[in-house]
Amino acid sequence: MKPRLAIAVWVGVAIALLSIGVLSAKAATPQTSLSEVSSEVMCPVCGTLLELAESPQALRQKAFVSRLVAEGRSKDEIKDALVAEYGTEVLALPQGSGFDLSAYLVPVVAFVLALVALAVGVLRWRRAGESRDREQPAVPTGPSAEDSERLDADLARYDL
Amino acid sequence: MSARSAIAVLAVLAVVGLLTFGLLSKGSSGIAVGEVAPASSLPRLEGGGNGSLADYRGRWVLVNFWASWCDPCVEEAPELEEFQQRHGDAGFTVLGIDSRDLSGDGRAFVRRFGLTYPQLRDGDGAFAHDFGTTGVPENYLVDPQGKVRLAVRGPVTGEYLEDVVAPLLSGGQS
């Protein structure tokens, strides 16, 4: 084998080995943590967040999550595994479908309705103010005819 | 009634309805002796497929709610297995319901105690909720017609099983 070809083969083998090492290391690298997952899932027996629970069931659940974290599973994969074990009630956040969707929609709808109510209230208040202004009699800008006559008479009396 | 009053009444009714729905969906009254036991289909803990309490209609069934993380269940399991060995036949069986438990832990529990009676898996606790359980272990003796004859909220002992449950089985009362 020519020296140049031998070097190329050795470099190729080294790159291949390095790639395998990097890939296997990446597969086992944790993508999430126990604390991150346990702040988003429930302890189904305690009815509290898993991170706050210390019951025997919660400890088993935490061990299960830790095992999946060590295997390099993502947070979503671990949540899916928990749902497969305990059902959807294990999720702390409501799902974005079915009746749970109302948990997201109701606040938005309530906010929009409040804005509409506020806008309608402000418009009515302004209209009421304007109509009050129109109904009020015009404020006289000068002296009345009677006052003018008296003023003229007084001026004439003191006319020098 | 003015439009404004109608809207106010509707809003109050909506809030009351929402609260009532929440209470009804979370609440659990507990099944009483004499009532027909729930018989939802559940996955088998081992072997795949589904099973149900209804599969055992015509037999006495001691429904045992348990979990591998529950200490009293550890003490109770050998007693139940012994009772099953002594009385389990065409007329009676213990039916284990592994509730709110990791399936792997549940299977390990069954192997550890060499439990031979059928086991179903109630991961989300919905079946336990239908029975109105307050924890584990709990035991319900269901007669051949599917009605609850005994309800024990807590572990059963071998003595209790022989003194209270066995006479019902042999007496064939239903």
Side-chain angles (χ1 to χ4, degrees), chain A residues 81-106:
Chain A
L82 286 170
V83 168
E85 292 286 347
Y86 297 112
T88 53
E89 288 196 5
V90 77
L91 300 174
L93 295 173
Q95 289 185 304
S97 60
F99 182 75
D100 285 356
L101 190 61
S102 62
Y104 296 106
L105 288 181
V106 167

Side-chain angles (χ1 to χ4, degrees), chain B residues 106-123:
Chain B
R107 284 192 285 270
F109 185 94
V110 168
R111 281 194 295 274
R112 177 182 167 195
F113 293 102
L115 305 180
T116 58
Y117 47 86
Q119 301 284 349
L120 300 178
R121 190 175 141 60
D122 181 31

